[in-house]
Amino acid sequence: MRVRLAWILFGVTVVVAVLHVIVLVLEERPLLSEEVMAEGFPLVTLGALGGAFVGVLIISRYPGHPIGWLFLGGQLLSEVGVALGDYGYGAVSGSLEGAPGGHVAIWLSVQTGGVFVVSLLAVLFLLAPDGHLASRRWRWALWLTIAGLLTHIGAVMTVSPDELNPGGELQGEPGPALTTLLVASSVAVFVGVLAGLLSMWVRLRRARGEVRQQLQLMVLGAAVLLAGMSINTLAAVMDGPTWVREQPLMASYACLPVFTAVAILRYRLYDIDVFLNRAITLTILTGFVFLGYVTVVVLIGTALPLARDRFWPSLLATALVALAVQPVREWAERLAARLVYGRRAAPYVELTEFSKRLQESPGTEPLLRRVAESVARAVGARQAKIVVDTTDRATHEVAWPEQASRGLGDTITLPVADAAGSLGQLSVTMPPRTSLQPEELRLLEDFAAQLARALRNVHLESALTNQVRRLRESTVALEASAHRLALAQDGERRRFEAALSRTVVPDLHVVRDNLVSLLRRDLTSESDKGGAEAVLAESSALTRTSLESLRSLTRGVFPTQLERRGLVAALDAYLDSTGAEPVRTSIATHRLAPAVESTAYFCVVELLRELDGPGAVALRTVASTLEVEVTGPPPPPSPSRIEHIHDRVAALDGSVNVSEVEGRTTMTLRLLLGPPSDPGPDAAEALGVEVDLGDVGVGTGG
């Protein structure tokens, strides 16, 4: 309903413009005379028609858009005012003298004159381009402009139509109250215009992308209008001819719809370019059908006079025109696309330029942003978005523009893939009630194919970078693990050597000294033999004690039990030496792989040493994994003290988990089971422990 009303009002504007020309012709005044041009014809009339047409186009796309109604309603009233002014001039003093309503027409033209037009432009600048104020802080400028216009209307209403001369000026001097009102209204409207220009400048600074390009043209139109007002004021101060000083202002007024139309056609302002495209196509087809039909009928009638009154020429003309409609329609669509979209009407030229820019992109982020911009411009989308699946299973998303404007339509998504698999997706969001044409869809597919080649290279580069990064991290981790293992091995060696020196070596030194002393004695007498037997008995006891101490020490390093009888027996022997309970086990296999047994044994011993009290050990197998659970009193050991245990377990692709549950510390080792094999090397060889007992010689002498 609103769209129909808009077209009716535009039709009224055209009718008023035609009546305006008829009035000027009836008044027998030259259309381009100084007098007529000073009253606004033809610049104001052309500007009114152009602005009304822009307004009706916007309303056809967005029926409730304030900018469309401002253009349409304001230009209609402006043209009505100019036409009434010329009619009143002719009725009062021209060739139409005596026509009714001359003074009233002049009085009404003053109401829709300069102050009304400037007020309209001020409101337009404040609301452009989206129909809303830039922020709530600009409401004062809107209300000030409206108040100025209402003040001017009220001031003019205090004047009788008979007090105005044919030029719309007051006969005689105005009173102080009327002068004050007129000056106040002019100042208020002028301030509103300045505020509108400032508002557009603020919007322009904040805008990005295509919105900024749209605003640049509208700001340029506003700047031209401001220049026209300045020239008009300067010419009035210099007392120049009326028709001369009015022309710059009227020309700048007529330029505003021109700049708006350029913004519509070039940068899709208000998205009415689709409507223009179809309107141009329909106009061309209509003209072709009419002219083609008439031409064929006329040619047949001229060539064959006897066929003028026959039916078959019309039938033949209809058939020929119908056959030619499809080729003409395709040509008309291409022409309309070229007129409306410009460079975007040649999408594959855009695709070629895109391929060149693709090769010049320095990195992934600029590459994706250029692709998104090229796609959006090529198909006229509100927003283009690219989602890339990276090699580390994350996604990278780039959109152009980053913030889509209001009024979004359907979103079309295409996969980006090559023979090796999916690489991501490309999606475009179209304006409302706008769909992709088949050729635009093919263009998107070509964009996706070009993008797939580029993204495959990006994937390869990303995979190589990730591989290098993981290799570097693994190298650093292995170096740290090797360092911790070396420190742990060195500490174990020092502890073992210190224990040997404290418990075993002193007894062996005594045995050595006893044996050396026996070798030096003369054992011929019975008393000497008795003393030697006592020394041998003592040495034997010390030797047995040393062996027991050595066995006890090796239980924490590489006990004989572990080599001969396996993990469970070795752990039972160690737990027995510490006074703890035996191992709780459900292992069905008697022996495990030597690496698993040795790693489990050493880790359990180290974990038990870290506990603040006696501990318990449980063994079980789950699938192909050995689980060793060590429990004891809290607190759990600090992570730094068991890093070497993590390293030992990680060497077998295992894991260590430490937790505290119900007041008990629980440490769980998980090791992958391997096939059992021969026992490993000797403890001293495995750990690199060297035991220096000195020059101990044990022998028998006879």
Side-chain angles (χ1 to χ4, degrees):
M1 181 63 184
R2 287 181 293 182
V3 175
R4 184 179 302 174
L5 175 62
W7 281 104
I8 292 175
L9 293 179
F10 174 70
V12 172
T13 305
V14 174
V15 170
V16 172
V18 173
L19 293 176
H20 185 192
V21 175
I22 293 174
V23 168
L24 292 176
V25 172
L26 293 176
E27 290 180 0
E28 299 179 353
R29 290 195 292 172
L31 297 181
L32 297 180
S33 64
E34 298 178 1
E35 184 181 18
V36 173
M37 293 176 66
E39 294 172 357
F41 188 88
L43 292 178
V44 174
T45 300
L46 293 176
L49 290 174
F53 183 65
V54 170
V56 77
L57 289 180
I58 296 174
I59 296 171
S60 298
R61 188 66 166 167
Y62 302 104
H65 205 298
I67 300 298
W69 289 107
L70 281 173
F71 265 116
L72 180 59
Q75 303 301 339
L76 171 60
L77 293 177
S78 174
E79 175 58 24
V80 168
V82 175
L84 287 176
D86 284 333
Y87 171 77
Y89 180 88
V92 172
S93 62
S95 59
L96 299 179
E97 188 172 358
H103 288 285
V104 175
I106 295 174
W107 184 81
L108 290 175
S109 69
V110 174
Q111 295 284 20
T112 57
V115 175
F116 170 78
V117 172
V118 174
S119 302
L120 172 68
L121 295 175
V123 175
L124 187 67
F125 294 156
L126 286 170
L127 299 181
D130 57 0
H132 300 278
L133 294 171
S135 66
R136 297 172 63 89
R137 291 177 296 179
W138 295 94
R139 289 183 298 178
W140 66 270
L142 179 62
W143 289 115
L144 179 64
T145 304
I146 295 174
L149 177 61
L150 294 177
T151 301
H152 179 267
I153 294 174
V156 174
M157 292 182 68
T158 61
V159 178
S160 171
D162 296 332
E163 297 178 13
L164 299 176
N165 62 20
E169 298 176 354
L170 185 66
Q171 299 177 7
E173 294 295 329
L178 180 60
T179 302
T180 302
L181 290 176
L182 292 176
V183 171
S185 64
S186 300
V187 171
V189 171
F190 184 74
V191 171
V193 171
L194 293 179
L197 294 174
L198 181 60
S199 172
M200 293 191 71
W201 181 75
V202 171
R203 289 179 189 260
L204 181 64
R205 291 194 60 186
R206 296 175 180 175
R208 295 293 183 271
E210 197 168 21
V211 176
R212 182 179 180 86
Q213 294 171 329
Q214 295 170 353
L215 279 172
Q216 283 177 343
L217 285 170
M218 297 196 71
V219 169
L220 179 60
V224 170
L225 181 66
L226 182 62
M229 295 173 62
S230 302
I231 295 174
N232 177 266
T233 303
L234 181 62
V237 171
M238 298 176 63
D239 197 21
T242 302
W243 76 274
V244 173
R245 70 190 187 199
E246 295 291 343
Q247 296 311 301
L249 178 59
M250 295 178 183
S252 60
Y253 173 75
C255 285
L256 184 61
V258 174
F259 284 111
T260 306
V262 173
I264 289 172
L265 293 175
R266 187 170 182 180
Y267 298 116
R268 298 176 64 87
L269 180 61
Y270 304 123
D271 295 309
I272 62 177
D273 46 1
V274 176
F275 173 81
L276 284 177
N277 188 355
R278 295 171 182 172
I280 293 173
T281 303
L282 181 61
T283 302
I284 294 175
L285 285 177
T286 303
F288 168 76
V289 171
F290 176 76
L291 293 177
Y293 180 84
V294 173
T295 301
V296 172
V297 172
V298 170
L299 288 177
I300 293 176
T302 303
L304 302 172
L306 297 178
R308 291 179 181 177
D309 298 330
R310 302 295 180 88
F311 173 72
W312 67 267
S314 300
L315 182 61
L316 179 60
T318 304
L320 292 176
V321 170
L323 291 175
V325 161
Q326 182 62 24
V328 172
R329 185 184 69 83
E330 295 177 356
W331 174 81
E333 288 179 349
R334 289 194 298 270
L335 177 61
R338 172 61 66 180
L339 293 175
V340 174
Y341 297 115
R343 291 174 62 246
R344 287 188 288 118
Y348 286 92
V349 175
E350 178 70 23
L351 182 61
T352 303
E353 296 180 358
F354 158 73
S355 300
K356 296 178 181 178
R357 293 194 297 269
L358 202 63
Q359 299 173 1
E360 300 170 357
S361 297
T364 304
E365 184 74 21
L367 165 69
L368 298 180
R369 198 164 299 281
R370 287 189 179 191
V371 173
E373 180 180 359
S374 298
V375 170
R377 291 190 181 282
V379 300
R382 280 287 177 86
Q383 187 182 54
K385 184 181 297 183
I386 300 173
V387 179
V388 181
D389 300 328
T390 58
T391 53
D392 53 359
R393 296 185 179 180
T395 57
H396 186 69
E397 182 176 305
V398 171
W400 190 92
E402 295 182 359
Q403 298 293 333
S405 57
R406 291 181 297 178
L408 301 179
D410 296 334
T411 298
I412 297 90
T413 302
L414 292 178
V416 178
D418 58 6
S422 176
L423 298 169
Q425 61 184 26
L426 170 65
S427 61
V428 293
T429 302
M430 302 301 294
R433 297 180 297 277
T434 303
S435 59
L436 283 177
Q437 300 299 319
E439 60 274 10
E440 293 176 327
L441 185 58
R442 288 193 296 270
L443 175 63
L444 272 186
E445 293 172 351
D446 290 338
F447 268 112
Q450 292 277 358
L451 182 60
R453 298 187 183 95
L455 290 186
R456 177 55 62 188
N457 295 333
V458 172
H459 265 241
L460 293 176
E461 179 184 353
S462 176
L464 180 59
T465 302
N466 291 336
Q467 187 68 19
V468 172
R469 176 178 53 80
R470 286 194 293 268
L471 182 60
R472 187 183 300 112
E473 293 174 353
S474 299
T475 302
V476 173
L478 285 175
E479 290 177 353
S481 176
H483 180 67
R484 289 193 297 269
L485 285 175
L487 291 178
Q489 189 179 48
D490 186 61
E492 187 71 18
R493 182 186 299 111
R494 288 196 300 270
R495 186 186 66 80
F496 187 76
E497 291 176 353
L500 283 177
S501 300
R502 187 176 61 254
T503 60
V504 177
V505 174
D507 291 340
L508 294 180
H509 277 299
V510 173
V511 171
R512 182 195 61 184
D513 293 340
N514 288 342
L515 294 177
V516 169
S517 66
L518 286 176
L519 291 174
R520 293 173 180 174
R521 290 183 185 182
D522 185 11
L523 302 179
T524 56
S525 63
E526 292 295 331
S527 60
D528 290 336
K529 291 180 179 180
E533 291 177 356
V535 171
L536 287 174
E538 179 187 5
S539 298
S540 177
L542 289 175
T543 300
R544 287 193 296 271
T545 302
S546 298
L547 288 174
E548 291 295 331
S549 299
L550 189 59
R551 289 193 189 98
S552 178
L553 288 176
T554 56
R555 289 193 185 99
V557 182
F558 198 94
T560 305
Q561 296 266 20
L562 181 62
E563 181 180 0
R564 294 179 179 177
R565 300 178 56 191
L567 177 62
V568 177
L571 288 177
D572 280 338
Y574 181 80
L575 292 173
D576 182 64
S577 67
T578 61
E581 298 180 357
V583 177
R584 301 189 308 274
T585 179
S586 61
I587 297 179
T589 305
H590 177 65
R591 294 304 300 269
L592 304 176
V596 175
E597 288 187 339
S598 61
T599 300
Y601 180 83
F602 291 129
C603 291
V604 168
V605 171
E606 290 297 318
L607 291 175
L608 289 173
R609 287 173 181 169
E610 295 295 334
L611 290 176
D612 189 14
V617 181
L619 303 179
R620 59 179 174 271
T621 56
V622 178
S624 60
T625 303
L626 171 66
E627 289 191 0
V628 183
E629 186 176 86
V630 180
T631 57
S638 63
S640 61
R641 293 185 61 85
I642 60 174
E643 279 186 337
H644 62 290
I645 297 177
H646 283 275
D647 295 331
R648 288 179 183 270
V649 173
L652 297 182
D653 294 329
S655 63
V656 181
N657 182 45
V658 180
S659 61
E660 185 176 355
V661 180
E662 297 180 356
R664 295 282 290 176
T665 297
T666 301
M667 295 170 285
T668 304
L669 309 178
R670 292 181 176 85
L671 300 171
L672 295 178
L673 293 175
S677 60
D678 294 335
D682 183 68
E685 181 183 353
L687 291 177
V689 177
E690 298 178 0
V691 182
D692 183 10
L693 301 180
D695 297 330
V696 178
V698 181
T700 60

